[in-house]
Amino acid sequence: MNRRQLYIMLLLPIIYIVVFSYVPMLGLQIAFKKFDGNAGIWGSQWIGLQNFIKFFNSYQFERVLKNTLVVSVYHLIAGFPIPIIFALLINAVRSKRYKKAVQMITYVPHFISVVVLVGITLQMFDSRIGLVATIYTLLTKQPMPEILGNPSAFPHLYVWSGIWQNTGWNSIIYIAALAGVDSELHEAATVDGASRLKRVFYIDLPSIIPTATILLIMNAGKMMSVGFEKVYLLQNPLNLRTSEIISTYVYKVGLTGFSDFSYATAIGLFNSVINFLLIIIVNQISKKISDSSLW
Amino acid sequence: MLVCCLTLCGCGTGASNEDGSQKNQTAAEEKSNSDSNADSSQQGDYHSNINPPGEYPVCKEKITMKVGIVQDSNVEDYETNFLTKLYEEKTNMDLVFDVYSNIEAEQKLQVMVASQSDLPEIITGIKLSDLTILSFGEQGAIIPLNDLIDKYGHNIKNAYENSPQLKTYTTMPDGKIYSIAKYTETIGNLWSGRATINKKWLDKVGMEIPKTTDELYEALKAFKAQDPNGNNKADEIPLLGNLKGWRQKVYDFIFNAYIYNDTSDRYIVKDGKLSFAYNTPQWREALRFMNKLCTEGLLSPQSFTINEDQFKQIVRAEPDLTVGVIPAGAIILSAGDERVAEYEVIPPLTGPEGVSWATYFPSMPENKFIITNACKNPEAAIRWADLMYDPDIVITQRWGEKGVNWDDPAPGDVSLYQDTLGYPAKIKILNDVFGSVQNVNWREGNPTYRTADYTCGQVWDGNPIYHEYLISKHMMAYKDRGPEEYVAKLIFTNEEMAEIRESKTSINEYVNESIARFITGDLDVDKDWDSYLAELENMNIKRYQEISQQAYDRIQ
Amino acid sequence: MFLSKKRLGSRNDEVFYFVTNAILAVITLLVLYPLIYIVSASFSSPNAVSSGKVILFPVEFSLEGYEAVFKNNMIVSGYANSLFYTIAGTVINVGLTLIAAYPLSRKDLPGKNILMFIFSFTMIFNGGIIPNYILIRDLGMINTRWALLLPGAISVYNMIVTRTFFQSNIPIELYEATSLDGGSDFKYFTSVVLPLSKAVIAVISLFYALSHWNAFFNAFLYLNNKSLFPLQIVLRDILISTSIDPSLVLDPETMAARQGLADLLKYSLIVVASAPMICLYPFVQKFFIKGVMIGSIKG
């Protein structure tokens, strides 16, 4: 058989990825250098791990690392299964029109910009005029305690506003996978008397597990890249203890006013390395447990 | 001899020969220093294509100037702009534009310089930070302007003379001026850390405008208890602010009754020695007072979470007003809302130890115009910048075309600041297009030198609730109540900044965070104060203070 | 017996269906409210928006916001540019992604794991702004449309999604059947794999299209010409410049009017800028169904 043709197909993508990803990647060396524009990337002075040491020793290191982990782990745990459940529910709806309508509506928030999303969140949870406060007061006859300024509420706000925005969208891929399920399987199971609920567990769910595993690995790899813009906009001095994460910190220390490209690159690289380790670990686990893996 | 030097300086500055150009600059500098007494108006000294300072057009033969400009979304088109045409006519230059998006524009310029990419000849339309200017200067990407200004400056020199701080704060720690600044004086802004109180409510509860912190406390308490808006609902918020709006923080004006609070880095200066306000016992007492307000429901904790839009919504509530004391630099009620007359200014409060300051916000120049090493005609460029400081063109740069957007005042017209500071009427606004999409100027994205007589000399139409007129009244209570010694601005070198950047950022964040937490009671003024101080020590406040002192001494 | 079993099943199923529908209804309402709010706000008067009167339906109905949007030349040209970048970019993306994903989906490709690793690695590590800028400059793409089309043309994430689809939805028996007939890999890919993959092509097209539509970072970094700016740049320009520095504007009345319009413009802009992508979706959804029907042929 002729594998040559497969390699020919891969040629263009590989050239592409080398030029546009690996060539610039050589620039990561400035994390270990004192970057000087006139000397360029290659000519700048080598300072070894100085930038990293500076970060590890910095006053904020522990706090931002912890906050980043809390938000990202929570985001992964809550944000991963919900689109799957949602897709299974949608798939089980009989009325095509209802199905379509639900899908149509729930994917729309994905198109809303982060600025607006945060705006809506702040409006909803405002302790005086917000919708949530109004309902809370109606039910309990008590004024609602402060939510936006409460440090322990921040991770919830971040994660659940994300779920609100992306559940519909993230379920698209599962819905597509579910649609690929051979309808004969369902017919056969129905003939055998399986209820719809049973069929969800024994036919639908297994059919999306490969997709889900891959997405889980990839989400784990992106875990530390918590959305900068949204966190930044949700921050206020009262919740800073839980809302200062690596990227907002880099922004404040490294990029406001004068850009220290080396320091910013070093912190970014540190973040990437953690992501990399995570993705490798999850990939190994997944290889052992199931058949799906990235490589 | 000098001509030769400057010509060299002008032509020899390509991206390719940094070293050469730097040598030339040094040579030019030495030369001009030794010749500093020479009469710079001698005809023969100027570049052969440039007319002497003050004479127009700038260039004898038409030249092209490539300008990198940051897009202002309210300027329709820089190519066809009325002001652009005026510049081109006055300078005999053809202006060609590279237009940059205004998102993160400074970062983009940093990337262009760091990657040694081709730069335009001039960069303008953006306020560049001092650190950026300094680092561009150190990398040789932009050229120092001291000698060019000496030789070709006319309006710029006058401005430096009339407003020394303009020169002081555009001179970098290396003694060089790299940028021509935008400098505007608006008297109302100099003393903008104001608060207003509802006088009608005060009358209702039988009190006077508070002069001390204690009186403020009593007034707020009465507001809370006695339903001053008379709608039989306990919907009054005695004191509300927000963190995002301009001078709308709920605490800044109160701190000034305990210790001077410059509201940003919070330096205090005594006999030339710098220290900070936020690690003093006075600061702690101020926090204690505000914590009391908060605990008794007089200061709304929402002040730390709402944004400016929400704040405005609450202040503008219909039908009944709900906010008693409003801290703000501008007027928050909508224009034309007659209820604005209910609010009167609270003069700087006096604290228990007799302290009573108003924050002084001096006019600061903004770096708006730099000449890069790619510039082929720096002499023409500086003369163009000099034109931007011309008293006539200053009006066009802000208001637009005479006869269309503004006109000379008619006899008998009075100015906004006539009865407060006695400024005569100078300009009558016909159609201010500053806030909408227009094509008459660059919305002051360029350097300008607009002194108080323009802004304060605007014709007043006699409307007693016109906001700017109200501000001119309110301002008087605060004017000249600041300290003798203060820090207007510190310009750090890149080395200094590299050392203290983290301390400075972390400390300011931590202080602001702690203010909120102490006031809302999340931190206890008694129990947590020592650990607060220890935390500041941890962040190396000592070194930060030393380096600040160093930078302060440099400009004295 | 067969019949009664089925009936029993369907009675349980009715409960199941009812619960499912109810849950979905609640979720949908939760999602729907803020969306209605934005649309209603965009059709209200500036005054009603800034004073917070809008709750559910438009208050003091007006089209002022939309008029302002369409009067702005930059928005119109930005719109056209964005459409171009989105369409051209998506075509390039999808093409590259498919030819990368297919070979990597084949279990019999030697070196597959190494290649896969090479691709995945770039998901996590990237060079940062300056090296990328230098690359684009050296390729001569600064201030050209290519700068928005080529960088990031393969999203490894989408490539993996596609590969997974190929692996699980294209029956291996099909390949064995065609190879026995003497078909080449090219021919098999174009005549068998692609027609069976409409669903995944539709999905990744939508992903790519959305990322092009919302992209702004490369545009601000690489473009110096207003006539090339995409909509997102214009959008952010406008949204950012609405946070007016009061020290700039002396006339508070202009400022108030401007602020009100800005608030309103925000909502109209959001609606206008989001509309094309939202409209695209139902169109793509059709392909989902088609792709599924073809996908269910038995091997």
Side-chain angles (χ1 to χ4, degrees):
Chain A
M1 270 184 262
N2 194 355
R3 301 281 169 273
R4 205 166 49 101
Q5 291 188 340
L6 293 179
Y7 287 116
I8 293 174
M9 283 171 83
L10 271 173
L11 196 62
L12 197 57
I14 298 237
I15 292 175
Y16 170 81
I17 210 130
V18 167
V19 172
F20 284 95
S21 298
Y22 281 94
V23 169
M25 223 181 271
L26 296 174
L28 282 178
Q29 58 181 286
I30 63 171
F32 306 95
K33 290 183 162 179
K34 188 175 190 306
F35 180 68
D36 169 8
N38 285 332
I41 292 174
W42 294 92
S44 292
Q45 186 202 347
W46 185 269
I47 54 166
L49 293 173
Q50 215 168 295
N51 283 319
F52 293 90
I53 292 167
K54 186 174 157 197
F55 179 53
F56 298 147
N57 287 339
S58 89
Y59 162 77
Q60 298 263 10
F61 174 69
E62 209 174 302
R63 163 158 133 174
V64 296
L65 188 63
K66 193 186 127 211
N67 289 343
T68 312
L69 282 172
V70 167
V71 172
S72 51
V73 170
Y74 185 14
H75 184 65
L76 187 68
I77 290 174
F80 176 70
I82 288 180
I84 299 179
I85 297 167
F86 186 72
L88 291 171
L89 285 173
I90 291 250
N91 191 54
V93 167
R94 280 177 303 182
S95 154
K96 274 214 171 110
R97 236 191 238 167
Y98 187 57
K99 191 189 248 178
K100 222 173 175 180
V102 171
Q103 266 183 281
M104 288 283 286
I105 291 164
T106 51
Y107 80 81
V108 174
H110 186 77
F111 300 94
I112 294 176
S113 72
V114 175
V115 181
V116 179
L117 176 74
V118 171
I120 294 173
T121 312
L122 297 182
Q123 198 82 33
M124 291 288 156
F125 288 94
D126 185 282
S127 62
R128 186 167 175 274
I129 50 178
L131 188 68
V132 178
T134 315
I135 295 170
Y136 185 94
T137 315
L138 262 178
L139 295 178
T140 62
K141 311 271 175 230
Q142 299 265 326
M144 187 177 70
E146 185 60 47
I147 289 182
L148 295 172
N150 185 342
S152 53
F154 171 78
H156 303 293
L157 279 177
Y158 175 85
V159 168
W160 289 96
S161 62
I163 289 174
W164 178 82
Q165 184 176 28
N166 291 320
T167 295
W169 181 260
N170 290 344
S171 67
I172 290 180
I173 237 164
Y174 298 114
I175 293 171
L178 281 169
V181 173
D182 195 334
S183 53
E184 282 199 350
L185 277 176
H186 277 285
E187 280 160 28
T190 319
V191 170
D192 287 348
S195 73
R196 188 66 187 90
L197 188 62
K198 269 207 173 124
R199 284 187 277 136
V200 167
F201 283 107
Y202 293 106
I203 300 175
D204 292 345
L205 192 57
S207 73
I208 53 173
I209 281 192
T211 314
T213 318
I214 295 292
L215 286 181
L216 181 63
I217 298 173
M218 286 194 286
N219 285 347
K222 282 193 290 190
M223 210 165 93
M224 297 284 283
S225 347
V226 183
F228 161 76
E229 204 178 5
K230 189 164 140 196
V231 174
Y232 189 67
L233 291 169
L234 277 172
Q235 277 179 352
N236 59 50
L238 286 174
N239 67 17
L240 217 49
R241 268 173 303 146
T242 55
S243 64
E244 190 82 293
I245 59 166
I246 293 180
S247 54
T248 55
Y249 177 66
V250 169
Y251 178 77
K252 283 173 194 166
V253 176
L255 296 176
T256 42
F258 168 67
S259 285
D260 186 340
F261 288 111
S262 288
Y263 189 46
T265 308
I267 301 179
L269 187 61
F270 167 76
N271 210 342
S272 299
V273 169
I274 292 190
N275 277 339
F276 185 61
L277 294 177
L278 281 171
I279 202 168
I280 288 193
I281 293 168
V282 180
N283 194 51
Q284 287 312 109
I285 295 173
S286 151
K287 230 180 198 170
K288 282 217 172 109
I289 298 176
S290 72
D291 215 15
S292 322
S293 71
L294 278 182
W295 60 82
Chain B
M1 178 74 186
L2 242 177
V3 180
C4 177
C5 258
L6 284 163
T7 323
L8 263 177
C9 184
C11 302
T13 49
S16 49
N17 65 348
E18 302 297 329
D19 289 354
S21 78
Q22 268 164 11
K23 253 177 242 150
N24 285 334
Q25 283 154 17
T26 336
E29 241 166 66
E30 279 165 11
K31 188 69 198 148
S32 81
N33 285 342
S34 63
D35 276 3
S36 58
N37 292 329
D39 182 3
S40 59
S41 64
Q42 274 171 22
Q43 195 65 38
D45 278 1
Y46 302 108
H47 185 285
S48 59
N49 191 35
I50 307 290
N51 279 317
E55 279 180 33
Y56 297 100
V58 169
C59 298
K60 293 173 187 161
E61 300 274 327
K62 190 160 195 149
I63 57 163
T64 306
M65 186 69 76
K66 186 160 191 188
V67 183
I69 191 159
V70 176
Q71 171 77 40
D72 183 316
S73 55
N74 276 352
V75 176
E76 215 171 278
D77 186 354
Y78 288 98
E79 299 279 354
T80 61
N81 194 280
F82 175 76
L83 182 62
T84 309
K85 297 287 168 213
L86 196 62
Y87 284 151
E88 288 181 330
E89 184 196 316
K90 285 262 189 187
T91 56
N92 200 18
M93 294 196 291
D94 185 18
L95 302 177
V96 184
F97 294 94
D98 261 357
V99 178
Y100 310 137
S101 144
N102 74 15
I103 310 156
E104 313 279 351
E106 186 160 352
Q107 206 189 338
K108 171 174 175 144
L109 294 174
Q110 283 166 342
V111 170
M112 285 168 70
V113 168
S115 62
Q116 300 274 293
S117 300
D118 289 340
L119 296 170
E121 296 179 83
I122 303 285
I123 295 170
T124 186
I126 177 180
K127 175 185 170 183
L128 289 165
S129 69
D130 295 327
L131 287 167
T132 301
I133 295 281
L134 199 52
S135 91
F136 284 5
E138 281 173 359
Q139 295 176 58
I142 57 177
I143 62 172
L145 310 176
N146 306 47
D147 302 328
L148 287 169
I149 294 171
D150 266 356
K151 197 161 158 58
Y152 291 96
H154 170 70
N155 299 317
I156 296 178
K157 276 196 223 160
N158 284 345
Y160 283 174
E161 223 161 87
N162 294 334
S163 311
Q165 66 274 32
L166 170 58
K167 188 174 184 189
T168 310
Y169 294 108
T170 36
T171 305
M172 292 295 120
D174 60 4
K176 291 179 185 146
I177 294 173
Y178 290 101
S179 77
I180 304 299
K182 168 184 168 182
Y183 182 83
T184 59
E185 282 174 347
T186 305
I187 301 289
N189 293 351
L190 302 182
W191 305 96
S192 47
R194 298 178 293 260
T196 50
I197 190 164
N198 193 313
K199 183 71 172 49
K200 209 169 141 193
W201 289 15
L202 281 174
D203 292 343
K204 194 127 181 207
V205 300
M207 287 183 183
E208 292 295 311
I209 291 178
K211 288 184 207 63
T212 66
T213 44
D214 287 338
E215 288 174 21
L216 177 71
Y217 170 73
E218 293 303 329
L220 295 176
K221 224 171 140 180
F223 284 174
K224 171 126 185 124
Q226 302 181 28
D227 187 31
N229 69 6
N231 63 359
N232 293 321
K233 278 188 273 181
D235 58 352
E236 285 85 358
I237 305 172
L239 171 57
L240 180 76
N242 73 89
L243 298 175
K244 303 279 164 69
W246 188 59
R247 317 264 191 257
Q248 289 163 13
K249 293 190 183 66
V250 77
Y251 45 76
D252 275 334
F253 77 104
I254 299 180
F255 276 125
N256 269 325
Y258 292 82
I259 189 164
Y260 183 64
N261 169 26
D262 72 19
T263 77
S264 57
D265 289 330
R266 302 190 166 94
Y267 290 109
I268 39 182
V269 196
K270 201 166 178 239
D271 305 325
K273 292 281 160 246
L274 289 197
S275 57
F276 298 103
Y278 43 73
N279 52 4
T280 60
Q282 290 91 330
W283 191 263
R284 184 188 192 179
E285 289 317 303
L287 290 171
R288 193 191 303 280
F289 173 70
M290 283 182 272
N291 174 247
K292 182 171 79 172
L293 297 185
C294 194
T295 325
E296 297 185 22
L298 308 179
L299 180 164
S300 166
Q302 277 184 300
S303 305
F304 301 103
T305 52
I306 55 175
N307 61 29
E308 191 179 3
D309 287 344
Q310 291 166 314
F311 175 67
K312 282 182 180 162
Q313 276 178 25
I314 300 173
V315 170
R316 292 171 181 173
E318 310 241 11
D320 301 310
L321 289 168
T322 54
V323 183
V325 174
I326 306 169
I331 307 285
I332 302 299
L333 282 166
S334 313
D337 187 335
E338 304 211 336
R339 298 179 298 176
V340 76
E342 292 180 27
Y343 288 93
E344 286 187 20
V345 71
I346 306 179
L349 293 168
T350 306
E353 289 177 39
V355 176
S356 175
W357 294 117
T359 310
Y360 177 49
F361 300 94
S363 297
M364 277 293 126
E366 299 175 6
N367 307 309
K368 285 275 189 179
F369 184 98
I370 49 180
I371 305 180
T372 71
N373 61 19
C375 185
K376 290 186 284 294
N377 299 287
E379 302 85 5
I382 202 74
R383 286 238 26 221
W384 176 29
D386 193 66
L387 169 68
M388 295 171 176
Y389 274 26
D390 181 278
D392 286 330
I393 216 153
V394 159
I395 303 187
T396 308
Q397 288 172 161
R398 166 62 180 84
W399 285 283
E401 204 177 339
K402 186 173 180 179
V404 178
N405 305 103
W406 62 276
D407 219 330
D408 292 327
D413 278 348
V414 287
S415 82
L416 283 167
Y417 282 70
Q418 192 104 40
D419 47 354
T420 45
L421 296 174
Y423 280 96
K426 187 179 173 92
I427 171 169
K428 186 179 173 71
I429 312 297
L430 302 176
N431 175 23
D432 194 351
V433 290
F434 199 80
S436 45
V437 180
Q438 46 90 356
N439 212 17
V440 294
N441 59 35
W442 298 2
R443 290 186 81 237
E444 295 195 335
N446 45 282
T448 192
Y449 180 65
R450 183 158 55 79
T451 45
D453 45 330
Y454 293 101
T455 36
C456 298
Q458 278 183 60
V459 171
W460 175 46
D461 60 1
N463 177 1
I465 59 162
Y466 183 65
H467 284 186
E468 196 61 27
Y469 177 72
L470 288 172
I471 286 171
S472 77
K473 296 261 179 215
H474 292 173
M475 181 271 307
M476 289 309 283
Y478 283 67
K479 191 169 180 297
D480 298 329
R481 297 280 296 270
E484 293 265 303
E485 291 179 290
Y486 59 91
V487 174
K489 175 167 128 178
L490 294 179
I491 304 179
F492 296 102
T493 66
N494 279 322
E495 289 71 37
E496 287 169 344
M497 203 57 192
E499 202 182 337
I500 59 163
R501 186 191 298 118
E502 203 201 336
S503 297
K504 185 169 149 63
T505 324
S506 310
I507 288 176
N508 279 337
E509 287 269 336
Y510 180 67
V511 167
N512 286 329
E513 177 191 336
S514 301
I515 291 173
R517 293 179 63 195
F518 277 120
I519 294 178
T520 53
D522 190 28
L523 287 177
D524 189 296
V525 186
D526 290 311
K527 276 186 257 153
D528 295 315
W529 182 255
D530 289 338
S531 58
Y532 164 78
L533 292 182
E535 203 67 46
L536 289 173
E537 292 294 320
N538 264 345
M539 293 185 226
N540 212 352
I541 191 172
K542 201 163 152 257
R543 189 69 191 135
Y544 174 34
Q545 186 170 343
E546 283 164 13
I547 289 189
S548 301
Q549 182 76 50
Q550 200 174 306
Y552 180 76
D553 292 343
R554 205 162 34 221
I555 51 170
Q556 294 312 305
Chain C
M1 187 184 157
F2 170 70
L3 274 176
S4 70
K5 218 176 186 178
K6 190 170 184 183
R7 212 169 285 145
L8 185 72
S10 48
R11 206 173 307 138
N12 279 338
D13 285 354
E14 287 311 317
V15 178
F16 171 80
Y17 285 125
F18 178 78
V19 172
T20 308
N21 287 352
I23 296 174
L24 286 175
V26 172
I27 294 176
T28 309
L29 284 179
L30 280 177
V31 171
L32 199 57
Y33 173 74
L35 302 177
I36 292 180
Y37 177 84
I38 292 173
V39 176
S40 296
S42 77
F43 283 106
S44 299
S45 75
N47 182 34
V49 173
S50 55
S51 58
K53 280 187 208 147
V54 179
I55 290 170
L56 186 61
F57 294 111
V59 177
E60 299 164 25
F61 184 87
S62 102
L63 291 172
E64 261 181 82
Y66 289 94
E67 269 170 38
V69 166
F70 287 108
K71 255 199 287 185
N72 189 322
N73 289 334
M74 281 195 70
I75 294 182
V76 177
S77 81
Y79 222 92
N81 284 330
S82 280
L83 281 177
F84 171 78
Y85 295 132
T86 304
I87 294 168
T90 306
V91 170
I92 297 174
N93 295 148
V94 173
L96 275 174
T97 306
L98 289 172
I99 57 174
Y102 176 65
L104 293 172
S105 76
R106 288 272 295 265
K107 292 222 154 69
D108 55 350
L109 181 78
K112 185 191 70 157
N113 281 353
I114 296 168
L115 289 170
M116 205 48 216
F117 184 80
I118 290 176
F119 276 96
S120 313
F121 193 73
T122 65
M123 257 192 340
I124 297 180
F125 290 98
N126 68 74
I129 297 175
I130 295 180
N132 276 312
Y133 189 87
I134 293 175
L135 174 75
I136 300 297
R137 185 194 65 200
D138 293 347
L139 291 174
M141 300 199 306
I142 294 288
N143 216 9
T144 66
R145 292 184 189 271
W146 292 111
L148 297 201
L149 298 177
L150 289 186
I154 296 184
S155 141
V156 176
Y157 181 92
N158 288 345
M159 198 270 282
I160 292 171
V161 166
T162 315
R163 186 191 72 140
T164 313
F165 178 90
F166 286 154
Q167 278 172 347
S168 52
N169 287 27
I170 311 286
I172 190 76
E173 298 83 8
L174 268 184
Y175 176 69
E176 280 154 10
T178 14
S179 345
L180 286 178
D181 298 347
S184 71
D185 281 317
F186 282 156
K187 210 174 152 202
Y188 175 71
F189 177 64
T190 48
S191 57
V192 179
V193 176
L194 286 187
L196 286 179
S197 308
K198 284 195 177 133
V200 77
I201 294 175
V203 172
I204 61 168
S205 300
L206 191 61
F207 285 178
Y208 277 125
L210 185 69
S211 71
H212 277 290
W213 187 259
N214 285 338
F216 74 95
F217 190 76
N218 286 350
F220 103 72
L221 207 53
Y222 302 138
L223 298 184
N224 302 332
N225 185 343
K226 230 166 64 164
S227 62
L228 297 179
F229 285 173
L231 183 64
Q232 289 299 326
I233 289 280
V234 185
L235 199 81
R236 280 172 188 251
D237 273 0
I238 290 175
L239 294 185
I240 286 175
S241 72
T242 54
S243 42
I244 310 164
D245 176 0
S247 62
L248 284 179
V249 186
L250 191 72
D251 176 6
E253 278 175 50
T254 319
M255 199 167 112
R258 164 95 184 133
Q259 184 67 46
L261 189 62
D263 289 343
L264 180 67
L265 201 62
K266 261 183 225 170
Y267 292 108
S268 336
L269 264 180
I270 291 160
V271 174
V272 170
S274 315
M277 285 296 115
I278 295 175
C279 296
L280 187 66
Y281 182 74
F283 177 71
V284 174
Q285 214 181 12
K286 263 191 223 158
F287 280 88
F288 283 9
I289 298 160
K290 269 192 199 161
V292 169
M293 285 187 335
I294 303 166
S296 58
I297 7 164
K298 287 133 273 175

